[in-house]
Amino acid sequence: MKLTRASSYALQALVYLAQEAPDRPVASHVVAEARGTPERFLLKVLKPLVDLGVLKSVKGPHGGYRLARPAKTISLLEVVEAVDGPIRGDAPAVGKGAAATFDRRLQDVCDGASVLARERLAKVSLAELARSK
């Protein structure tokens, strides 16, 4: 499985916010600078997380972003799927006859792999990811 740059930036930002005071919003430029993320791209990535209820956006001069829920209740799966859409197994169909039979078997394998990836990501919380080792 390969995470997109958008998911990676989202997870970086959320980990940063999880390590901050939970009631204090952090400006997007602070998060972007701390994580080496282009701020304009970061803002695009954070919007679906606000819409999903993972982040809270606070307006005003002392505004910014903060987690809307405790980090232990936010799964990596919901973050990745909020930013990139559902994780699916996808094997392109290439033929007819025997090749079509192979395509169906390969698609079944890819579907199973996506189920396993979703299950694994669902088991890992943002708090676990944010924990320093």
Side-chain angles (χ1 to χ4, degrees):
M1 178 181 163
K2 181 177 180 179
L3 287 179
T4 65
R5 186 175 305 243
S7 286
S8 183
Y9 284 158
L11 291 167
Q12 287 278 345
L14 290 173
V15 164
Y16 182 83
L17 293 171
Q19 294 169 335
E20 293 295 308
D23 58 339
R24 194 188 112 229
V26 180
S28 60
H29 72 274
V30 172
V31 177
E33 185 177 312
R35 293 303 191 180
T37 306
E39 185 179 10
R40 286 184 359 163
F41 190 65
L42 181 64
L43 292 171
K44 281 184 181 179
V45 166
L46 297 182
K47 183 177 180 342
L49 297 170
V50 171
D51 295 343
L52 185 65
V54 169
L55 281 179
K56 174 97 172 125
S57 174
V58 179
K59 307 283 186 219
H62 300 289
Y65 293 90
R66 65 177 176 80
L67 296 181
R69 309 191 315 252
K72 67 182 178 184
T73 68
I74 300 169
S75 76
L76 269 57
L77 177 65
E78 68 181 312
V79 174
V80 169
E81 290 193 332
V83 173
D84 293 329
I87 295 173
R88 294 189 190 104
D90 192 19
V94 294
K96 297 181 177 157
T101 301
F102 172 79
D103 289 344
R104 284 191 296 278
R105 287 196 315 257
L106 184 57
Q107 183 61 52
D108 288 345
V109 170
C110 290
D111 288 343
S114 69
V115 167
L116 292 173
R118 292 183 88 250
E119 287 173 353
R120 180 67 177 116
L121 290 173
K123 289 180 182 177
V124 180
S125 73
L126 185 62
E128 291 173 70
L129 191 64
R131 199 174 300 136
S132 59
K133 292 189 175 194

